Amino acid sequence: MEQGLGSNSNPSLGSIDKSRVLDLRPLRCLVPVFPNPPDMSSVMTPQPSPFVCTPPTGPFPPGIHPFYPFFIPNDSQQNPHPNTSGASNQPGNHAFGNSIPAPIPLNSFRTPTPQANGGTRQSGRGSRGRISEPVVADDDDYNDSQNQSGQHVSGFSVHVTDTEDAGNTRKRRGRPRKSNPGESRDEHEDSSDVESLVNRFLTSFKLKNFDDVRRANGDKEIVNNILLVFDLLRKRFTQLEEVKDKSPGITRRPDLKAASLLMTNGVRTNNTKRIGHLPGVEVGDIFFFRMELCIVGLHAPSMAGIDYMNVKITVDEEPVAVSIVSSGGYDDLGDDGDILIYSGQGGVQRRDKQMFDQKLERGNLALEKSLHRANEVRVIRGIKDIAASTGKIYVYDGLYKIQESWAEKNNSGCNVFKYKLVRVPGQPEAFNLWKSIRQWKDGTAPRSGVILPDLTSGAEPLPVTLVNDVDDEKGPAYFTYIRNLKYSKPFSTPKSFSGCQCTGGCQPGHTSCPCSQRNEGYLPYSSLGVLLTDKPFVYECGVACACPPNCRNRMSQAGLKVRLEIFKTNDRGWGLRSWDPIRAGGFICEYAGDAIDTSTLGDFGNEKEDNYTFDATRFYERLEAVHDDSNGSMKFPFPLVISAKNNGNGARFMNHSCSPNVFWKPILRESTNESYLHIAFFAIRHIPPMQELTFDYGMVQPEKGDHGRKKCLCGSVKCKGYFY
């Protein structure tokens, strides 16, 4: 302010020139103001005087004057008697005179509640932090390409976009949201349901009361169980949110909600930062969400591309990099499977696109220190997910070492740090395998050992390749490829079912759709074809339904979604695997063949002697452990036996494993008074390309003894040594 409002005379309120109030200078700092001794001007050096505390409304000691908006005649000094007019002097009373105007609160930002086991704030690849509303965290769609460090909730950073939400609460603009009288009750009920769901899943997978030992260091079982629970929660929240909110253009983030709940309950592993591989995570493992990297400890920051830790060197500490994510947010050069040219952090202000020089700090400094220390760095490569237009698949490509670093000018003329990383030899293939598969599909490189490029002869939307690169065998015994199960006599149902009338396809939340109601009011599949339900049965639309063939509730009827390969194994005959990555819950194929009438003995016993029989009457261990039934550790046996000896598809080649990555689900399609039961296979967890697909063959009924028992060669650490 060029001239203070105070002067040697105290003008009345009505004589204030309020226009002068707007002539301001920004404050650089605040210093205490002490009254000047008598006969000393304000420009003279004052002598030390005691500090005086003065309320805004006075009384004021000599030399101190009131300021706007508390600039009032100093009547309080002249009239010390209390106000008798009835006007209160409390804040908020607008009788301007002997009262303080009501303060206007600043818009505040909610401080994240610290969690006992939520982890710590991570530094990493990204530009300067900015204050953002604590709405949502980043994921695979935004990742480090957003280049922003944000607030941190439950150990992961958060930022906001116009279409993101926090805990199913949209960021609203403009017109205030109308309150719903029953909303608080519904939110309370939803909260109780979510808590019950989380507790049930954590208990089922032995993650309840997760201790510090497992939190600090994981293993394969812990990592798999945490990812399974994360996926089950995420899929359940997807179902609930689809039904509750159909607003167009709103992006829901059930992955963030699932991860937040796990972290709130202290369920995350490999929390202790370290250099090198992590227990329970293998080279080539894939992840479809950035938060999955966080909860298993592979890469702690949910947004930043560089994760680092401080190590003590003599007296001082210095940062060293432990992992990086390269997913296209910067001008990284990574087409070479063994060499990665990685760009440093910072240099872009995402809000206004302003470019500036990167600085040798935080993640950049950690990479520079790792160059000189020659420590190994975990590299996670982000690859575009073809199935999801905006998504990425994160591939753990193993350990690299930084070979050199330099600075160069980018297209905007700003300095950018570059780091050349070279893959440590002797590791399993990961990113290089993805490159090879892309070349096979494009036809730029041949797949070795191909016997038949398409075993289906065009019966499937995608070819199924027959490959033997082990020995000279020319293929399995002859059979006829068919897509679906063939029934001679369907199951009869007591009630007639006329089907749905969803001519545009079944949609989430349609209360008039009988198919949706049979699935307890939800669609069992996501828009990407991922199984969402954990119920024992899936009711799909049948021939009596009016919905089109591409209806979301006909997922298993549309044929293959991934490129399968039948291959010769080293010691277990023929097996099945996929060229494409498969999401957890992703549909793989149906078990096609001839349905056997179990009510007639006939040739049934002979059919069960061959190696191409699926027997749903066996007992199967509960892989999900999430069903509401009370059958202990076994699934309910269904009266269906399928022979794929003469007719079948790729599922007939799926081998047994005591630690499978595939599970089956009964699919029921009804028409009038007839029911057709089918068997569909889904991924238990994310399955990388070229990993063999296996399921548990189950156990025979106890009264049938050990007949048909075979030696198991699955090689799992949980191998029982036999199967049926």
Side-chain angles (χ1 to χ4, degrees):
M1 199 178 293
E2 288 188 352
Q3 292 181 352
L5 287 175
S7 62
N8 292 334
S9 62
N10 288 335
S12 64
L13 178 62
S15 62
I16 297 177
D17 183 5
K18 294 184 179 180
S19 63
R20 297 173 59 191
V21 176
L22 301 179
D23 189 9
L24 302 174
R25 298 271 191 254
L27 290 176
R28 297 293 182 182
C29 62
L30 297 176
V31 295
V33 178
F34 299 100
N36 294 325
D39 302 326
M40 178 179 289
S41 72
S42 59
V43 298
M44 298 174 61
T45 303
Q47 299 298 320
S49 59
F51 183 78
V52 178
C53 295
T54 304
T57 55
F60 302 102
I64 301 298
H65 305 287
F67 56 91
Y68 186 83
F70 306 108
F71 191 168
I72 58 176
N74 206 355
D75 296 336
S76 58
Q77 301 181 54
Q78 302 170 10
N79 182 18
H81 301 292
N83 181 11
T84 59
S85 64
S88 172
N89 288 337
Q90 298 299 321
N93 190 312
H94 296 282
F96 194 79
N98 291 341
S99 64
I100 301 175
I104 300 176
L106 295 174
N107 290 331
S108 61
F109 296 92
R110 182 175 55 195
T111 302
T113 303
Q115 304 295 341
N117 302 309
T120 57
R121 177 174 179 145
Q122 306 293 342
S123 299
R125 191 184 193 187
S127 65
R128 313 295 180 272
R130 64 180 176 87
I131 296 178
S132 59
E133 294 183 36
V135 180
V136 299
D138 178 60
D139 81 326
D140 52 325
D141 292 347
Y142 291 90
N143 53 73
D144 58 307
S145 66
Q146 290 297 306
N147 195 25
Q148 294 169 344
S149 298
Q151 297 182 5
H152 290 250
V153 181
S154 299
F156 57 90
S157 56
V158 300
H159 74 281
V160 62
T161 65
D162 290 344
T163 59
E164 294 174 343
D165 71 322
N168 299 335
T169 302
R170 250 182 308 175
K171 183 183 178 184
R172 300 178 181 268
R173 296 179 182 269
R175 186 172 57 187
R177 180 176 177 271
K178 293 182 179 180
S179 61
N180 185 349
E183 182 176 6
S184 59
R185 181 181 69 253
D186 293 340
E187 289 179 352
H188 177 72
E189 292 173 355
D190 289 346
S191 177
S192 300
D193 292 342
V194 167
E195 184 178 355
S196 174
L197 185 71
V198 172
N199 287 333
R200 181 160 63 94
F201 286 165
L202 294 181
T203 302
S204 297
F205 288 95
K206 301 178 181 179
L207 298 177
K208 193 72 175 174
N209 301 321
F210 205 64
D211 56 71
D212 291 338
V213 175
R214 292 185 294 172
R215 193 173 298 114
N217 299 282
D219 56 34
K220 193 64 178 177
E221 181 178 6
I222 293 174
V223 168
N224 284 343
N225 286 347
I226 289 178
L227 292 176
L228 273 171
V229 173
F230 167 82
D231 192 64
L232 290 168
L233 290 172
R234 182 189 61 80
K235 291 189 291 188
R236 183 57 176 164
F237 295 152
T238 299
Q239 277 190 313
L240 295 172
E241 290 165 2
E242 280 186 336
V243 171
K244 286 194 300 185
D245 195 338
K246 309 183 196 65
S247 302
I250 300 301
T251 303
R252 293 303 188 182
R253 299 300 305 280
D255 57 312
L256 303 180
K257 185 175 181 180
S260 177
L261 286 169
L262 287 178
M263 292 181 177
T264 300
N265 284 273
V267 179
R268 62 189 304 181
T269 192
N270 293 320
N271 221 15
T272 301
K273 288 195 177 184
R274 71 203 77 194
I275 295 172
H277 293 302
L278 295 181
V281 181
E282 299 177 358
V283 176
D285 282 352
I286 62 174
F287 307 86
F288 283 82
F289 300 92
R290 278 291 294 260
M291 296 311 302
E292 292 178 315
L293 304 178
C294 302
I295 59 179
V296 301
L298 186 61
H299 186 81
S302 67
M303 292 170 59
I306 305 173
D307 190 12
Y308 58 89
M309 60 183 289
N310 290 322
V311 296
K312 193 168 186 179
I313 308 298
T314 61
V315 178
D316 300 326
E317 289 187 346
E318 65 180 29
V320 293
V322 294
S323 63
I324 61 172
V325 176
S326 176
S327 57
Y330 292 77
D331 296 328
D332 300 336
L333 301 177
D335 199 48
D336 189 322
D338 294 321
I339 297 176
L340 173 65
I341 307 300
Y342 190 75
S343 301
Q345 70 175 24
V348 181
Q349 182 62 42
R350 291 292 176 181
R351 180 169 294 180
D352 55 14
K353 306 297 183 182
Q354 181 182 354
M355 306 293 293
F356 50 87
D357 290 340
Q358 293 183 350
K359 296 183 178 181
L360 193 60
E361 61 183 11
R362 299 183 296 153
N364 294 341
L365 180 60
L367 289 174
E368 190 69 26
K369 294 293 185 180
S370 293
L371 166 64
H372 298 292
R373 291 178 57 86
N375 67 274
E376 297 168 332
V377 179
R378 296 188 297 272
V379 171
I380 300 100
R381 297 195 186 233
I383 302 174
K384 179 177 175 56
D385 185 5
I386 298 176
S389 58
T390 59
K392 287 187 175 67
I393 304 171
Y394 298 95
V395 183
Y396 176 39
D397 200 28
L399 301 178
Y400 282 65
K401 285 190 175 182
I402 305 174
Q403 192 175 82
E404 59 178 308
S405 67
W406 65 94
E408 63 182 41
K409 298 285 186 180
N410 61 12
N411 294 333
S412 301
C414 298
N415 287 326
V416 175
F417 292 108
K418 296 286 185 176
Y419 303 89
K420 181 180 179 180
L421 293 94
V422 179
R423 195 168 191 256
V424 176
Q427 301 179 89
E429 278 192 319
F431 182 67
N432 269 333
L433 179 60
W434 287 66
K435 287 181 56 183
S436 298
I437 294 173
R438 184 174 59 193
Q439 292 172 344
W440 300 344
K441 291 182 177 181
D442 296 341
T444 56
R447 170 75 171 103
S448 61
V450 174
I451 300 173
L452 284 175
D454 185 11
L455 187 66
T456 75
S457 300
E460 295 280 6
L462 296 173
V464 177
T465 308
L466 181 64
V467 174
N468 183 359
D469 53 6
V470 175
D471 54 34
D472 297 329
E473 187 176 355
K474 297 303 181 182
Y478 177 81
F479 73 101
T480 302
Y481 191 98
I482 60 175
R483 284 180 54 175
N484 306 110
L485 178 60
K486 294 171 62 177
Y487 269 94
S488 59
K489 180 183 177 182
F491 296 100
S492 60
T493 54
K495 294 183 179 180
S496 177
F497 180 67
S498 58
C500 69
Q501 301 301 315
C502 305
T503 56
C506 300
Q507 299 297 326
H510 279 195
T511 57
S512 60
C513 175
C515 298
S516 175
Q517 296 308 309
R518 285 173 178 258
N519 288 296
E520 301 187 1
Y522 303 100
L523 287 185
Y525 303 108
S526 75
S527 58
L528 294 177
V530 174
L531 183 70
L532 299 177
T533 183
D534 57 14
K535 303 304 178 184
F537 274 98
V538 172
Y539 291 89
E540 283 193 348
C541 296
V543 294
C545 295
C547 56
N550 63 349
C551 174
R552 187 164 147 183
N553 199 36
R554 294 182 182 269
M555 191 58 61
S556 69
Q557 305 171 37
L560 299 179
K561 303 293 189 298
V562 293
R563 180 80 181 267
L564 297 178
E565 175 184 285
I566 298 167
F567 72 104
K568 184 67 181 295
T569 67
N570 291 322
D571 54 1
R572 296 193 294 163
W574 297 89
L576 185 69
R577 59 191 176 193
S578 171
W579 287 12
D580 298 316
I582 306 174
R583 285 175 177 256
F587 172 70
I588 298 172
C589 64
E590 179 183 341
Y591 198 101
D594 299 307
I596 299 174
D597 187 357
T598 58
S599 62
T600 61
L601 296 178
D603 296 332
F604 176 61
N606 295 331
E607 292 289 350
K608 295 192 69 175
E609 294 298 328
D610 70 64
N611 295 322
Y612 300 107
T613 298
F614 180 89
D615 187 358
T617 64
R618 293 181 177 184
F619 281 118
Y620 290 86
E621 292 189 8
R622 293 159 59 95
L623 298 173
E624 301 155 280
V626 294
H627 296 313
D628 293 328
D629 53 44
S630 56
N631 293 328
S633 61
M634 303 295 179
K635 290 181 181 288
F636 182 77
F638 302 101
L640 176 65
V641 176
I642 304 172
S643 173
K645 182 178 181 180
N646 300 317
N647 303 293
N649 63 353
R652 73 196 293 269
F653 297 104
M654 220 181 304
N655 285 314
H656 163 82
S657 176
C658 300
S659 298
N661 54 12
V662 173
F663 72 100
W664 63 272
K665 180 80 73 172
I667 309 294
L668 198 60
R669 305 169 194 162
E670 295 182 330
S671 175
T672 60
N673 292 100
E674 297 176 341
S675 294
Y676 295 87
L677 188 64
H678 294 256
I679 301 300
F681 290 97
F682 302 90
I684 295 175
R685 52 184 176 270
H686 303 324
I687 303 177
M690 304 303 284
Q691 184 178 102
E692 184 176 2
L693 305 175
T694 59
F695 75 101
D696 189 344
Y697 283 7
M699 294 179 286
V700 299
Q701 302 283 1
E703 62 270 15
K704 296 183 180 180
D706 291 340
H707 182 67
R709 187 166 173 169
K710 301 179 181 68
K711 182 180 180 180
C712 181
L713 300 173
C714 71
S716 165
V717 293
K718 293 185 176 181
C719 181
K720 298 187 291 286
Y722 63 90
F723 70 95
Y724 293 92

